[in-house]
Amino acid sequence: MVSLSRRRFLAYSGFVGAAAAMPEPLGAIAVPDPLQSSPKSDAVSDIYHRVLHLHTRWVEQQWDSGIKAYSGADFRFTAVLGNAVLLTDRHYDAELAGVARGTLLERTVATIRRFAATNRLAGGDEWGKQLFWDSTFELYFVLAARLLWAELDERTRTRVAAIGSGQAAYAFGLAYADDPLSGDWTPNGAAGGWAGDTKLDEMGVYAQAIAPGLAWGKDDAALHERFAFWASNASGLPTADRANLARLDGLLIKERNRAHNIHDTFIVENHETVNPHYQAEMWRTAGRAAIHFMAAGKPVPEVLLHQPNGQQLWRTLRLLASDAGEPVMPMIADRYHLYGRDVLPLAYLAQVIGDRHAARAEADLAARLEPYLRHDPEYRLAKFSGEDKYEPEARAEIAISYLFHRRRPRPTSPVSSSEFFARASGTRDFGTVVGLTAHQSPAAFAAAVTKTGYVNLLWQPRHDNWLVDTRAAAFLPASARNPEETWTRAYDRLRDGVDATATVLTFGDNFAGYATLPTGTVVYASTGVGTDEGPLTLFNLDMPGVPGLTGRRTFTSATGTITLDGSAGGGGDGGVDELLFEPRTARYVRMQARSAANQYGYSLWTFSVLDEAGADLAQGALPAASSSDVSYPAYNATDGNPETRWAVDRTQRERQDSWFAVDLGSPVTVAGVRLFWESAYATRYVIQTSMDAIGWSDAVAVPAAHEIGGGWVDIDGRAALVTHGTDRPITVTATGVIAATGPASPVLIEGYAHTDLDLPALSRRRIPRTPPSLRASDADGYLTLFNLSPDPVRGATVVIPSTRRLYFGPQVVRRDGLAWSVTQPAATGRVEAPRFVVAGTPPIGTRFEVAGSHRVTVTAPQGQAVSLILGAGAWSAPVQLAAGKSRTVVVPGGPATPTSDLARACTTFPTSPLPVGMTSPANAVDADPSTSWRPGPTGRMVVDLGAVRSVSALRLTWTRGARPPIRVERSTDGVSYPTVARVRKPGRLTEIPLDTSARYVAVVVDGWRRGDAELVELTALG
């Protein structure tokens, strides 16, 4: 046995026998040690190091003495990468790993030897060559072998070299065609795909398949160009960005990039839904590829360091971020809490790209890794969802993440959590096709999903990823899944004066509205959509080390405090529910569902009936169900195989009262059940028993419910709900809250992300009084209004109890408050920020006409003078008026909102990377006079107005300096840009008449040179 040192693990490297499809054969090269002799340790890398050690206990369970190697099932043998990283590190801890270093080395080398021989590219016939997903595991395998190169015999080295070079040659030889070995997986040639099914991950796989061959072999121009093509096109380009003149690896992006893999709102869809996991695949495949170049001592290709649209796509993930580092999964959560697989994209962005915000997310996720690993089933990194192959994959990617840290003299330091969420904050309507409107604020994440089949309202107070289970419906009753119509709007602080969203859903004659505020507060209102409204499904696991996961939830209300134990009275949050009850005699046992977590109905891996000793009486017994999917019959849940499952028939997924039962054959004593749910789980259900399958009696309700009255409830000191306009009581369980229980009736619920509030006072306060079709809230000083009717409201009066805050539009002081006049289209919502505050007591009849954030007209009533102080932010001014007189007050400085500028806060192009010498065009539409667009030598920017609009003129404001000639182009499709105006000698303030219709407006600066003027503001006038 040869002892290892990090100085020896890359003593040799080389390739032999490159395939004929390769443009040039790969030869042997000498490679220096890529790791420094004494890199600085850091907290995150220490966590990875410890987790890899602990996870080695799972690895050792995969040892197959029959083949004298780790198991080949689900690529478990690629756990050798984590082993190799530990073995090439001087600080191996045998006690932590549960195996002696010598034994681990011996088994690792034996496994590499065996599976190098059985790979198809090295003459074997067991695995490999197939792009999806063998090539991913080959990448891990080859890296592990390279780390342990000095320990391998010559024949094994030759085979490993053949795997790397052969896979690169195979991918190169496919050109842009599909892999015939990979079934229906396809990058769609060079075109990609963006509507419904991105090809971002497929193109990334083509690139990563080439990376090991390119990294460990001789430089080859053709192979490098093919790699750069796939890596660059993976993120694709929105149509309007096709003219990007930036260069990557020596070639213009516009000449290389052909694919369209993302929506122009910088989000991706997979299988018709938004799933951020696939968006993060961009940096996951980049990280897998980059580590090979680093380990081989070669520069990381520029295309991996400056991926097209990388900054914008990362901005989207931050908009969906939680406090656990991973983003919310707003539609399909089949990869929720897959912590081990979520690490690599963050580690790559943080430690390779150097993004301090990614370092924050990485640190937050890393902090949860060991508690997650130790949670039952212990020593698993991908335990809550996904496929078995995710386990070795997660180990490999934590190992790569660890190497990213070890290669840096100083790992990227994270920003604070407060700075992360402050910078991540904002709103975005991703478009009607995508069906997602999201709002990240410093205090909470919230969103509305309006896509047919996935409609949901999401809320994560304090960004707590383990409080509200976003896989289940929030606020909306489970019965309210498919509205006939949806309406949504995202407000932007720069454009509207407030970051907020509003959504209204139409269910026949009923309506539901949802608004999100910049404070993290949310407002829900309905006309009586369901009997149980405002439901929040809560996680209630016992996972020491993760904030809030103590196995208990405490609820405080007007009737007192109650603490509920998740293990004793829990269930309803998915996973495994083990429920014990007083022993009883029964022949039949049934799960009678009441409410589903999501749109997939119900599915069980295993349904066990327990006797008093805990033995399973249901295994092999005869099952029955309300319905069964043809692929997932009822007997799958009692066959003793944890890999098979029962699911309701697809046509019955909307049904909330589905059931599953088992006939035990004869009357026996039963004392409990154990249900292992798939991701389609019940948030509420009842376990029932029977002697004849006709008369049923309840054994236990899941979860056990406690009625606590109405008005308000504090949820574990982490969030709070306040109800208005209803006498319906609040019900709590160990895993949920229903804010209004009982017969369907109108309800208004406010959700607060902070609980250091006077909740009783908030529940007692007078809220704005409205006509019957309107619902209003003044939570946190913001005026939220919904028209929950099929008819528009014109000139209606809303009476706001306080006269202290003024909102956009006309309002008059009355004895009972401020009468605000509103016109509101049918089935819509709105959020109004307070534009001015009033100090003093304006007399009855005082009229305020607020024209925006900078202008208000005050009119005194007849017969009485007015004396008050108006304030807006740091500005204030006294207003004194004689009876019947008016005065208009203007706040000096700063951009006014709302704005008529069509361009403000709009998306601009080029995105990232920018051409040399150019600053971001977004600087010209951010309403900030201290920022500007520097055209640089290429001198062209595009503003996406979001839709085809009538544009009467452009107003351009420049800094001092020479101003070269400019021309203006317009487009409706982002492809064709005819010139509509030329200005040979632009002034410092230039207004250009257009009188045209356009979605895209381009400004081209011809011949810009260093020192010339920069564009401070571009204003598009309607």
Side-chain angles (χ1 to χ4, degrees):
M1 184 88 47
V2 179
S3 63
L4 294 171
S5 72
R6 289 185 298 112
R7 300 299 302 172
R8 294 189 58 205
F9 77 80
L10 285 176
Y12 306 96
S13 67
F15 283 107
V16 296
M22 188 72 68
E24 181 179 338
L26 299 175
I29 57 172
V31 182
D33 184 345
L35 300 181
Q36 301 189 26
S37 57
S38 57
K40 183 179 179 181
S41 179
D42 69 282
V44 172
S45 68
D46 289 346
I47 290 172
Y48 293 156
H49 195 244
R50 182 175 176 84
V51 165
L52 285 172
H53 274 92
L54 288 169
H55 189 254
T56 302
R57 295 172 179 267
W58 174 85
V59 175
E60 286 305 291
Q61 295 170 14
Q62 314 312 312
W63 179 255
D64 186 337
S65 58
I67 64 172
K68 292 183 171 47
Y70 296 118
S71 171
D74 302 305
F75 301 100
R76 293 173 193 175
F77 63 91
T78 56
V80 293
L81 177 53
N83 294 4
V85 167
L86 292 176
L87 290 166
T88 53
D89 189 279
R90 67 179 66 171
H91 302 296
Y92 181 77
D93 188 331
E95 184 176 353
L96 200 59
V99 58
R101 181 188 183 114
T103 301
L104 187 67
L105 174 60
E106 181 180 355
R107 290 183 171 186
T108 301
V109 171
T111 300
I112 293 174
R113 184 186 307 118
R114 184 193 189 281
F115 285 98
T118 62
N119 185 279
R120 297 185 185 100
L121 292 161
D125 59 5
E126 285 189 10
W127 73 292
K129 192 173 184 179
Q130 178 176 298
L131 289 189
F132 302 94
W133 294 96
D134 291 41
S135 67
T136 299
F137 292 93
E138 284 176 339
L139 185 147
Y140 305 145
F141 184 80
V142 169
L143 182 59
R146 289 289 174 177
L147 295 179
L148 294 174
W149 201 246
E151 302 302 317
L152 304 181
D153 60 86
E154 194 59 39
R155 176 175 291 184
T156 300
R157 291 182 187 177
T158 300
R159 287 169 172 161
V160 170
I163 294 170
S165 62
Q167 191 65 71
Y170 180 72
F172 182 89
L174 291 172
Y176 309 109
D178 296 345
D179 173 22
L181 302 177
S182 296
D184 59 357
W185 288 98
T186 175
N188 198 19
W194 58 280
D197 192 15
T198 183
K199 300 304 177 184
L200 182 154
D201 53 340
E202 282 89 339
M203 290 191 173
V205 168
Y206 273 64
Q208 73 175 29
I210 295 172
L214 187 61
W216 297 102
K218 288 182 177 178
D219 291 334
D220 181 275
L223 190 62
H224 184 279
E225 175 50 37
R226 185 64 51 78
F227 169 83
F229 174 86
W230 289 119
S232 177
N233 278 271
S235 54
L237 291 173
T239 304
D241 203 24
R242 294 285 173 84
N244 193 332
L245 294 172
R247 290 182 178 273
L248 288 177
D249 291 306
L251 195 66
L252 289 172
I253 290 178
K254 65 178 263 184
E255 294 178 2
R256 174 183 285 137
N257 280 49
R258 309 176 199 170
H260 190 173
N261 283 326
I262 64 176
H263 283 269
D264 56 15
T265 47
F266 303 104
I267 201 166
V268 304
E269 290 184 296
N270 183 268
H271 304 307
E272 309 299 327
T273 63
V274 167
N275 187 325
H277 180 88
Y278 290 95
Q279 190 152 327
E281 197 74 21
M282 174 175 170
W283 301 288
R284 190 176 289 111
T285 54
R288 293 169 184 161
I291 192 60
H292 277 270
F293 291 98
M294 294 176 186
K298 289 185 176 180
V300 176
E302 188 179 17
V303 70
L304 295 182
L305 302 176
H306 302 284
Q307 292 160 292
N309 295 299
Q311 292 179 16
Q312 287 70 27
L313 289 166
W314 172 226
R315 171 75 180 91
T316 294
L317 287 194
R318 286 162 49 208
L319 191 67
L320 304 178
S322 72
D323 70 343
E326 70 169 11
V328 174
M329 307 294 175
M331 297 184 189
I332 295 180
D334 62 340
R335 287 168 174 79
Y336 204 45
H337 291 141
L338 272 177
Y339 280 174
R341 290 197 78 228
D342 291 335
V343 166
L344 184 57
L346 297 175
Y348 179 77
L349 282 166
Q351 308 308 327
V352 178
I353 304 300
D355 189 298
R356 295 186 63 210
H357 293 266
R360 173 75 271 150
E362 183 194 14
D364 289 341
L365 182 54
R368 287 161 171 78
L369 276 177
E370 186 171 341
Y372 179 93
L373 187 74
R374 290 187 178 278
H375 189 271
D376 191 49
E378 202 171 17
Y379 306 128
R380 297 285 299 274
L381 285 165
K383 64 184 60 172
F384 290 128
S385 62
E387 305 170 21
D388 285 341
K389 69 182 180 70
Y390 291 165
E391 196 65 36
E393 190 173 357
R395 177 177 178 81
E397 300 199 345
I398 289 177
I400 293 172
S401 300
Y402 177 70
L403 292 178
F404 286 156
H405 278 260
R406 299 295 284 174
R407 67 171 286 275
R408 293 182 68 97
R410 254 175 224 173
T412 304
S413 61
V415 299
S416 66
S417 292
S418 59
E419 183 178 349
F420 176 91
F421 285 109
R423 288 281 300 276
S425 293
T427 65
R428 179 166 291 177
D429 179 354
F430 288 98
T432 55
V433 173
V434 173
L436 174 66
T437 304
H439 184 181
Q440 186 73 272
S441 73
F445 167 82
V449 178
T450 54
K451 191 175 185 71
T452 301
Y454 304 92
V455 171
N456 202 355
L457 306 176
L458 308 177
W459 186 41
Q460 276 196 346
R462 301 188 183 188
H463 316 103
D464 191 337
N465 199 230
W466 283 107
L467 180 61
V468 178
D469 186 348
T470 55
R471 297 172 299 176
F475 297 100
L476 277 175
S479 58
R481 281 280 161 74
N482 290 306
E484 286 84 357
E485 296 181 15
T486 64
W487 175 93
T488 190
R489 177 180 175 184
Y491 294 84
D492 185 277
R493 177 181 55 84
L494 295 178
R495 185 180 59 243
D496 306 299
V498 62
D499 282 340
T501 72
T503 301
V504 174
L505 310 173
T506 303
F507 302 93
D509 295 333
N510 284 314
F511 301 83
Y514 186 60
T516 68
L517 306 181
T519 54
T521 295
V522 295
V523 179
Y524 171 83
S526 87
T527 56
V529 170
T531 58
D532 296 334
E533 295 196 65
L536 297 178
T537 300
L538 308 178
F539 288 107
N540 200 357
L541 304 179
D542 186 2
M543 194 183 296
V546 176
L549 290 188
T550 63
R552 293 175 174 82
R553 293 293 183 192
T554 298
F555 304 93
T556 302
S557 68
T559 58
T561 296
I562 181 172
T563 298
L564 300 177
D565 190 312
S567 59
D573 59 349
V576 179
D577 291 345
E578 184 164 324
L579 308 162
L580 304 179
F581 44 81
E582 285 296 317
R584 56 172 62 193
T585 302
R587 174 173 174 174
Y588 303 92
V589 180
R590 177 170 77 175
M591 182 282 299
Q592 175 64 66
R594 295 284 186 253
S595 179
N598 51 48
Q599 68 272 22
Y600 297 107
Y602 306 98
S603 180
L604 284 164
W605 292 104
T606 304
F607 183 91
S608 299
V609 178
L610 308 178
D611 65 11
E612 291 179 273
D616 183 3
L617 302 174
Q619 186 170 323
L622 181 66
S626 54
S627 70
S628 295
D629 188 288
V630 65
S631 300
Y632 307 106
Y635 61 75
N636 281 357
T638 59
D639 63 0
N641 184 353
E643 305 296 327
T644 62
R645 62 185 173 95
W646 161 77
V648 296
D649 185 81
R650 290 173 181 269
T651 64
Q652 299 296 302
R653 287 178 172 178
E654 293 295 321
R655 180 176 171 178
Q656 299 298 305
D657 62 347
S658 296
W659 53 266
F660 182 95
V662 63
D663 179 358
L664 300 176
S666 62
V668 293
T669 300
V670 297
V673 294
R674 184 186 301 114
L675 280 64
F676 184 7
W677 292 99
E678 198 254 349
S679 58
Y681 66 93
T683 58
R684 290 189 298 139
Y685 61 95
V686 179
I687 298 299
Q688 300 173 321
T689 63
S690 175
M691 295 295 289
D692 56 9
I694 298 174
W696 295 89
S697 62
D698 293 351
V700 60
V702 179
H706 303 264
E707 192 174 290
I708 60 171
W712 61 275
V713 60
D714 173 291
I715 305 169
D716 208 34
R718 309 177 80 82
L721 298 180
V722 173
T723 62
H724 300 279
T726 180
D727 294 327
R728 294 162 65 184
I730 297 173
T731 298
V732 299
T733 70
T735 55
V737 177
I738 300 175
T741 307
S745 62
V747 64
L748 188 143
I749 304 169
E750 295 163 345
Y752 292 92
H754 299 284
T755 57
D756 54 346
L757 304 166
D758 188 341
L759 296 175
L762 285 174
S763 70
R764 291 192 304 266
R765 80 183 195 278
R766 287 191 302 136
I767 60 173
R769 193 168 71 252
T770 66
S773 63
L774 300 181
R775 298 283 187 279
S777 165
D778 59 354
D780 298 336
Y782 293 87
L783 187 58
T784 301
L785 189 73
F786 301 106
N787 180 357
L788 302 184
S789 79
D791 301 312
V793 171
R794 297 183 178 88
T797 297
V798 174
V799 180
I800 303 167
S802 171
T803 60
R804 184 170 179 269
R805 290 179 290 268
L806 304 180
Y807 301 92
F808 184 81
Q811 45 232 284
V812 179
V813 176
R814 299 193 336 185
R815 190 177 305 278
D816 55 353
L818 198 62
W820 184 60
S821 180
V822 61
T823 294
Q824 187 80 7
T828 63
R830 68 194 291 180
V831 177
E832 289 290 343
R835 304 291 179 167
F836 293 89
V837 294
V838 178
T841 304
I844 294 171
T846 304
R847 178 181 177 85
F848 300 95
E849 181 81 34
V850 178
S853 59
H854 282 49
R855 188 182 184 89
V856 58
T857 299
V858 185
T859 302
Q862 295 295 331
Q864 191 165 358
V866 167
S867 179
L868 50 82
I869 297 175
L870 288 178
W875 172 90
S876 65
V879 175
Q880 294 183 337
L881 293 173
K885 298 299 182 180
S886 296
R887 177 185 167 190
T888 296
V889 180
V890 178
V891 179
T897 58
T899 181
S900 59
D901 177 7
L902 302 178
R904 187 182 296 180
C906 286
T907 298
T908 60
F909 301 96
T911 54
S912 59
L914 293 169
V916 173
M918 182 183 288
T919 57
S920 175
N923 291 345
V925 296
D926 63 0
D928 185 348
S930 68
T931 65
S932 59
W933 173 59
R934 180 183 305 137
T938 52
R940 183 178 187 271
M941 67 168 284
V942 178
V943 181
D944 180 359
L945 303 179
V948 175
R949 304 183 186 279
S950 296
V951 183
S952 63
L954 283 191
R955 184 181 297 138
L956 307 179
T957 304
W958 300 86
T959 64
R960 295 184 182 278
R963 291 174 291 279
I966 60 173
R967 65 179 187 275
V968 178
E969 303 170 344
R970 47 83 63 183
S971 177
T972 56
D973 58 9
V975 178
S976 174
Y977 283 85
T979 298
V980 292
R982 295 179 185 271
V983 181
R984 296 189 62 185
K985 294 183 177 181
R988 191 168 180 185
L989 176 62
T990 303
E991 186 159 321
I992 307 170
L994 294 182
D995 192 21
T996 188
S997 294
R999 172 174 172 173
Y1000 304 95
V1001 176
V1003 173
V1004 184
V1005 180
D1006 293 321
W1008 188 92
R1009 294 180 296 180
R1010 184 182 294 274
D1012 286 354
E1014 300 178 12
L1015 184 60
V1016 174
E1017 185 171 18
L1018 182 155
T1019 302
L1021 306 177

